[in-house]
Structure formats: C-alpha cells, structure tokens
Amino acid sequence: MDASDELRSLEATGIYRLAGSRAAFVDPVRLLGESYRRFRLVPSAYYSRSFGPSRQGGEAQAEGTAPSPDRKKRKRKRQTKARELNAVERIAEARHQEARPLLISAHNSLLDAKYLLEYLPGMIKGDECRPELETSSENNFVELGGSWRAPFYEMTICFQKPLGQDEAGTCDVQKRSSPLFNRVVRVEENGEAEGEFQGRLYVLPKGSCFMMTDFTHVRDLIPDNPNTGYNLIVIDPPWENGCVRQKEAYPTLPNRNLLYLPVQELAHPAGALVVLWITNREKLRRFVEEELLPSWGVKDPTEFYWLKVKSDGSLIGDLDLFHHRPYECLLLGYINVNREAESGSKFKVLQGSQVIMSVPGAHSRKPPLQKYIPGPKPPRCIELFARELGSGWTSWGNEPLHFQDSAYFSKK
C-alpha cells in the first residue's frame, strides 16, 4: 500500500499505518465518527487544545514562536534537577531509555510521511472552526450524581424510527424517559439518539450503553451470565496526580481502590484483552505490575505508547524532559487466554510494543482502541471510568456523557 492509499485509509478508517515501523497515526474524530449517522464530531471542538488558550489554564504557545528566555531558564533548571535522580527515578529513566529508540523511530516515520504532514493541519481544523467551547453551562455529573436528588433525575431520550415505518414514510420521533444515575441506559441499534437533561442536549451513538454511578456501584456491571462477559476491557483510571489536583480537572481515586475493580468477573470466559492507561510515575508502575494486574488475573502485559504530536507533526514537548514526557503508556494483557496455545486460538495475540501517534484532544481524552480482541465476534467491549460513549460499547463511570454534549457535534 503506497502513501496515497494510506491517506485514503486514514480518511475512511481514521488509521494511517506508517511503513517500516511498529507505529500508526490515528485520527480519533474519524474513529469515533463511525458511531454516528446523523451527527458528526466537530474536529476543532475535539482538538480544542490546538487552538488559542488552553482550557486547563495557561497559554498555548503559538507554533513557530521561540520560547522566552525565562522559559529556557526554567527548562535548564528542570533538566539539571533530572540529572540528580534518586533510586526510583533512575529506574524510571532506565524505562524511558529502553523505550526511546522505538519512540524516535516511530516519530521519524511520521516526519517522513509527507502526504500525512500536509494533511494534518486541515484535519485538525476541519470544515467548521469552533475554537472556543461554551463549557460554563455544562452539567457537572460528578456533583449531580453525589446529590441526594440523584435517584430522581431522569433523561428524556429522543430517537427516530427508520424511514418508511409510519404511513407517511417519514421518520417518527419517539421519546422515553430513563433514570440517569445508577441504572443501565441503552440506545437502539438502528440509529443514534438525543438525550435531553437540564436544558442540555447529548448525542448518544447507536448501540451504545452506559451506566453512570460512583465507584461504590461498580459491581452492578458484573453480568449474570459469564458468557455475556466482555472481550475488550479498557480502563483509564483517575490516578492520584498532583497536576490534576492543582488544575481540578477531575476527581482522583486512591490507587489501592482499584484492587476492588471486578475486572476478572467482567471478562468473557473465551478470553478478554485488558487495556490499562497508566502514567509515567515509577511507583505507580510498580504497584500496577506487582499488585494490580495480578489481582485482576491479567497475564503477560505488553507495553504500548501513545506519542502526542502537534498538527505540524512535531512532538508536544521534549522527549527527554523527565517530568513531562510527551507520551503515555498503555499496558495490554489477557485474561482467560493461554498464549502458549496461540496456534489453536481464534484470534491473534499481541506481538511486541507498538506506538500510537495522534494530536491530543481535551485533557484525559484518549484515542479509541479496538484491536487484537479475543473471543467471539462481534466483540463485547466495555470502558471503565469512561467520559464518552461508543457504538457497541458499554461505558461506566461518574461522567460517561461528558464528551457527548451537543457542543462537540454538528448535524450532517
């Protein structure tokens, strides 16, 4: 497949596979857009961090401008401190040095993809420029879910019957009310729906399912029949993080609470792939590898990397800056899968680390993943601590509708 074919593949699927490397560039807007028929995600809304001031505070540096002398001084100071590493930090630095050749190779393959680099700026901006989102009036589901009124809140779900099912041959809009918190809410397979709640509209993709609860209700997700378990379990925990606390981006959760997530009970007996997003903190990595993954029954984890780039293909930061790496890690491992029996299995298991590159969206928003899924087809997929929905996915967390607000969409 040549470069133009790959570019057409990106437009069709949201994935551009970079030749000669274990890397791919992804466009989350196109990947997520497959879930919608009547709506489209607005690229400039998804990629809002690429436009103007950051919504998390601080000014976004304009492309092509040189850093200020004060910024250079602060950077040199941080680099000086990074040379004075303690024992734990030295282990973290060793991990970085081990990953560094793969990350550099992946990024170089992106810089060599001239067609893709020419395409990126327009992909980020899209046809409709919406650089500033009105977020002040968005519903705060975390606060609402913790209120004594939570059991009484309802969402009005509006959906359309397919064309031709009524006598006039037009779409028949139907409405139903559903408890919003601590209940499973499902959307029909024949098309996306719109949810109305407290004066805001939410776009709900076809075949999606969500449950909005706090951590105390997570075991309500466990299926009554194990054969209806999940083949792909994506987990993006709100890890304890000083930076997140300072910005008040979202509530965090004590790391040890995650030991009680019923991951093994959610897994399909025919096999499940678990994808866990983690930070670059070495103490957290040790806890995950030594305690968390074994408690979930996850075996043989493989490390993937999400390398964040700007719309010109450059990294969002210095690759070697100790405390602000321009990448995040994913650990992928299997439950109920015998990798030694791969030859007789019905699915392909992971082989080696890979790099996913994309332009980041809003804080904590990750590119979607749905690859190397074991077990029966179509796969059953669930995301824990979700902040958006996907077609065919179950999404659980205390704000799975956060990025479903109509402000992020336009009608086709």
Side-chain angles (χ1 to χ4, degrees):
M1 187 179 290
D2 61 24
S4 58
D5 289 334
E6 287 291 4
L7 199 55
R8 283 191 289 271
S9 176
L10 175 65
E11 293 179 339
T13 67
I15 301 174
Y16 187 106
R17 304 189 188 283
L18 293 151
S21 71
R22 288 182 287 166
F25 180 88
V26 302
D27 175 15
V29 171
R30 278 180 170 75
L31 287 170
L32 293 169
E34 296 175 357
S35 299
Y36 304 96
R37 185 187 64 195
R38 293 184 294 113
F39 294 87
R40 62 166 62 88
L41 280 86
V42 178
S44 61
Y46 183 97
Y47 295 113
S48 58
R49 291 170 69 181
S50 299
F51 299 90
S54 168
R55 292 209 292 155
Q56 282 71 43
E59 296 294 322
Q61 183 180 339
E63 291 182 15
T65 60
S68 67
D70 287 342
R71 184 172 178 181
K72 287 183 178 180
K73 187 182 296 183
R74 289 195 301 271
K75 183 176 178 180
R76 284 196 299 270
K77 186 176 180 181
R78 288 196 298 266
Q79 290 172 332
T80 300
K81 288 183 178 180
R83 288 194 293 271
E84 302 166 359
L85 304 179
N86 60 36
V88 173
E89 291 170 334
R90 285 196 292 271
I91 296 174
E93 179 63 17
R95 287 189 192 274
H96 169 68
Q97 292 300 327
E98 184 178 352
R100 194 173 184 275
L102 176 62
L103 295 168
I104 291 176
S105 174
H107 188 231
N108 285 339
S109 67
L110 174 65
L111 297 179
D112 289 339
K114 304 302 183 184
Y115 286 105
L116 177 57
L117 293 180
E118 293 173 1
Y119 177 81
L120 286 188
M123 180 196 81
I124 301 302
K125 185 175 180 180
D127 297 330
E128 302 170 68
C129 187
R130 196 180 296 177
E132 293 295 329
L133 290 174
E134 286 293 333
T135 60
S136 58
S137 60
E138 286 186 11
N139 287 309
N140 187 325
F141 291 110
V142 177
E143 289 185 3
L144 292 169
S147 166
W148 66 269
R149 297 185 181 89
F152 305 102
Y153 288 126
E154 290 189 340
M155 170 174 277
T156 301
I157 299 178
C158 308
F159 60 96
Q160 295 183 351
K161 291 172 60 177
L163 286 169
Q165 288 201 3
D166 63 347
E167 294 181 358
T170 58
C171 291
D172 179 21
V173 178
Q174 298 183 346
K175 295 184 178 182
R176 62 178 171 86
S177 295
S178 175
L180 186 57
F181 293 97
N182 306 329
R183 294 289 188 276
V184 174
V185 180
R186 301 182 186 278
V187 180
E188 288 77 3
E189 293 284 350
N190 57 10
E192 62 263 47
E194 294 175 79
E196 299 176 3
F197 178 68
Q198 292 196 346
R200 304 288 296 188
L201 287 176
Y202 298 88
V203 180
L204 312 177
K206 62 181 180 180
S208 61
C209 173
F210 71 90
M211 185 177 183
M212 188 148 52
T213 76
D214 61 20
F215 192 81
T216 60
H217 292 274
V218 66
R219 296 192 67 84
D220 293 343
L221 290 169
I222 300 174
D224 295 331
N225 181 353
N227 289 322
T228 59
Y230 297 95
N231 312 111
L232 175 62
I233 304 173
V234 176
I235 310 170
D236 184 16
W239 300 110
E240 293 176 298
N241 186 304
C243 179
V244 170
R245 248 192 331 268
Q246 290 173 4
K247 295 177 179 179
E248 299 181 347
Y250 52 81
T252 59
L253 187 72
N255 295 342
R256 300 201 69 81
N257 284 22
L258 299 171
L259 292 167
Y260 302 100
L261 274 180
V263 176
Q264 196 157 19
E265 293 94 326
L266 293 172
H268 196 285
L273 173 63
V274 176
V275 179
L276 176 66
W277 290 91
I278 62 173
T279 70
N280 292 318
R281 291 181 63 242
E282 182 59 30
K283 287 184 179 180
L284 173 63
R285 179 65 173 266
R286 188 177 302 176
F287 164 71
V288 167
E289 291 182 339
E290 296 179 0
E291 297 187 59
L292 191 59
L293 294 184
S295 75
W296 293 346
V298 177
K299 298 180 179 179
D300 304 317
T302 299
E303 189 165 20
F304 275 35
Y305 302 93
W306 175 32
L307 191 58
K308 307 174 191 179
V309 300
K310 300 178 184 178
S311 59
D312 63 356
S314 63
L315 299 179
I316 65 168
D318 187 337
L319 182 63
D320 297 312
L321 195 58
F322 185 81
H323 290 293
H324 297 279
R325 308 284 196 208
Y327 63 88
E328 294 186 34
C329 300
L330 308 82
L331 291 180
L332 299 88
Y334 293 102
I335 297 177
N336 302 329
V337 171
N338 181 2
R339 294 185 70 154
E340 295 178 357
E342 177 188 351
S343 59
S345 64
K346 297 181 180 180
F347 56 89
K348 178 183 178 183
V349 298
L350 296 168
Q351 299 290 341
S353 298
Q354 297 184 32
V355 179
I356 300 166
M357 287 176 283
S358 71
V359 178
H363 185 76
S364 84
R365 198 170 191 181
K366 306 294 196 301
L369 301 166
Q370 194 167 343
K371 188 181 177 185
Y372 298 107
I373 304 171
K377 304 295 187 231
R380 287 177 50 80
C381 310
I382 188 170
E383 181 175 3
L384 306 180
F385 305 103
R387 304 183 84 201
E388 61 191 334
L389 308 183
S391 181
W393 283 67
T394 296
S395 302
W396 170 84
N398 56 12
E399 50 176 355
L401 297 182
H402 180 82
F403 290 118
Q404 299 306 131
D405 192 292
S406 61
Y408 296 95
F409 295 83
S410 65
K411 287 194 175 182
K412 290 183 179 179

